[in-house]
């Protein structure tokens, strides 16, 4: 379980990004964070594993306050907090397999990490994951030769190879076309359900949040203004989160189908 209490973040030379956020995420939940640019979504996600240092408040992961951990204890805690990045964060010159295996660096010796000699069990699990996401033919391909969707799949495999209890996903579809975005979201939701992983997804596309998560949390100006089921995202709720807009026109195209780009 994750409990966030009165979380504030003020950047030294910038605005207040989070203003007293309170949030509870139960074990096995998958929630989507939505909101306008600058609402604090990425800051909130990155505060949870302290890639961004909170200014004040508590982040309790299974009753352990992440904010109070020493650097050594934080490294240990991060082993169980996987992260999937918008910009993929792959090592371009390394192969797909080498990038995936980097998810086990926190579990092997310094020598093993330096020489990239991983236990056979890790290699076998990496191969299973790559097969699961449709990349079994790309094991030896360099990361810089992959498409955006393929890179994101490598990032998913790397995060899952950590065997995390908690998964943070920061704008996984931002650089992808609508079809690939749906495929990536479907893959993420299937994998976290299969492995019973608790997950938070920061996502811009409201329609994808509605399609693939049961619970949606809306942020505006660093505060949570909506925390309900995805089915409750009415025009009034969207106005509360994003401001005035002709939401019916924004949601539907000329053919009457939901667009991917609601925001």
């Amino acid at each position: 379980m994750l409990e966030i209490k009165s979380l504030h973040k003020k950047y030294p030379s910038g605005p207040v990004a989070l203003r007293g956020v309170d949030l509870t995420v139960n074990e096995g939940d998958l929630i989507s964070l939505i909101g306008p640019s600058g609402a604090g979504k990425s800051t909130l996600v990155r505060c949870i594993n302290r890639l961004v240092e909170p200014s004040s408040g508590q982040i309790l992961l299974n009753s352990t306050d992440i904010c109070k951990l020493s650097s050594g204890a934080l490294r240990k805690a991060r082993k169980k907090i996987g992260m999937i990045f918008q910009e993929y964060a792959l090592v371009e010159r390394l192969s797909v397999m080498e990038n995936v295996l980097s998810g086990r660096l926190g579990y092997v010796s310094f020598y093993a990490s330096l020489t990239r000699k991983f236990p056979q069990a890790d290699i076998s699990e990496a191969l299973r994951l790559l097969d699961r996401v449709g990349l079994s033919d790309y094991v030896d391909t360099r990361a810089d030769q992959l498409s955006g969707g393929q890179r994101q799949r490598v990032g998913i495999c790397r995060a899952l190879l950590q065997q995390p209890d908690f998964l943070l996903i920061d704008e996984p579809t931002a650089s992808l076309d609508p079809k690939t975005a749906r495929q990536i979201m479907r893959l993420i939701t299937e994998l976290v359900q299969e492995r019973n992983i608790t997950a938070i997804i920061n996502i811009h596309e409201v329609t994808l949040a509605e399609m693939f998560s049961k619970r949606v949390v809306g942020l505006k100006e660093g505060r949570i203004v909506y925390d309900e089921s995805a089915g409750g995202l009415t025009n009034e709720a969207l106005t509360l989160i994003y401001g005035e807009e002709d939401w019916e026109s924004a949601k539907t195209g000329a053919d009457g189908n939901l667009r991917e780009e609601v925001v």
Side-chain angles (χ1 to χ4, degrees):
M1 171 185 279
L2 173 72
E3 294 180 274
I4 297 174
K5 300 181 179 180
S6 300
L7 190 67
H8 289 77
K9 174 58 184 179
K10 171 70 167 69
Y11 288 101
S13 59
V16 177
L18 298 175
R19 305 170 185 268
V21 169
D22 294 299
L23 180 66
T24 298
V25 184
N26 294 315
E27 184 176 350
D29 281 357
L30 183 151
I31 71 169
S32 289
L33 296 180
I34 65 171
S37 297
K41 304 186 301 298
S42 288
T43 297
L44 177 56
V45 166
R46 290 167 181 261
C47 278
I48 293 171
N49 61 1
R50 280 177 56 189
L51 289 179
V52 169
E53 287 288 346
S55 299
S56 63
Q58 292 180 295
I59 301 172
L60 302 171
L61 185 58
N62 297 326
S63 301
T64 298
D65 191 347
I66 299 295
C67 299
K68 294 182 178 180
L69 295 180
S70 64
S71 57
L74 179 60
R75 284 195 298 271
K76 183 177 179 180
R78 281 176 174 164
K79 292 180 182 180
K80 290 299 183 179
I81 306 175
M83 182 106 184
I84 298 172
F85 298 88
Q86 171 189 351
E87 63 276 12
Y88 317 126
L90 304 182
V91 181
E92 299 289 318
R93 61 183 177 80
L94 295 184
S95 70
V96 165
M97 174 61 87
E98 289 172 312
N99 272 285
V100 172
L101 285 170
S102 68
R104 297 299 294 173
L105 288 176
Y107 294 89
V108 298
S109 68
F110 174 76
Y111 175 77
S113 66
L114 191 65
T115 59
R116 302 192 189 98
K117 294 185 181 297
F118 292 87
Q120 184 57 48
D122 291 345
I123 296 171
S124 297
E125 179 61 14
L127 288 170
R128 281 192 290 271
L129 282 167
L130 287 169
D131 182 62
R132 175 66 178 81
V133 303
L135 290 179
S136 56
D137 293 334
Y138 294 84
V139 170
D140 297 319
T141 303
R142 278 176 50 131
D144 57 8
Q145 298 175 4
L146 301 176
S147 68
Q150 290 169 334
R151 292 183 183 203
Q152 195 59 281
R153 286 177 169 86
V154 174
I156 292 169
C157 290
R158 177 185 57 198
L160 291 180
L161 197 63
Q162 285 183 232
Q163 298 180 345
D165 296 325
F166 201 92
L167 192 58
L168 301 170
I169 307 162
D170 194 13
E171 298 190 28
T173 63
S175 303
L176 306 178
D177 63 82
K179 180 179 178 180
T180 304
R182 284 195 300 273
Q183 292 172 341
I184 290 297
M185 284 295 291
R186 186 176 298 111
L187 183 61
I188 289 172
T189 54
E190 289 175 354
L191 287 168
V192 297
Q193 288 170 2
E194 289 169 9
R195 293 166 178 256
N196 194 34
I197 299 172
T198 308
I200 294 179
I201 303 176
N202 166 23
I203 189 165
H204 273 299
E205 296 87 345
V206 173
T207 50
L208 293 180
E210 290 179 298
M211 288 170 65
F212 293 104
S213 56
K214 294 180 180 179
R215 178 182 168 197
V216 172
V217 173
L219 276 78
K220 183 177 183 179
E221 297 178 352
R223 295 185 175 91
I224 292 177
V225 296
Y226 178 91
D227 186 355
E228 301 289 345
S229 68
L233 278 173
T234 61
N235 293 343
E236 290 76 16
L238 291 171
T239 297
L240 177 65
I241 299 167
Y242 292 100
E244 292 289 341
E245 179 57 81
D246 183 356
W247 293 110
E248 290 303 320
S249 296
K251 283 184 178 180
T252 56
D255 58 359
N257 293 324
L258 279 175
R259 291 179 177 174
E260 291 297 329
E261 303 88 353
V262 174
V263 295

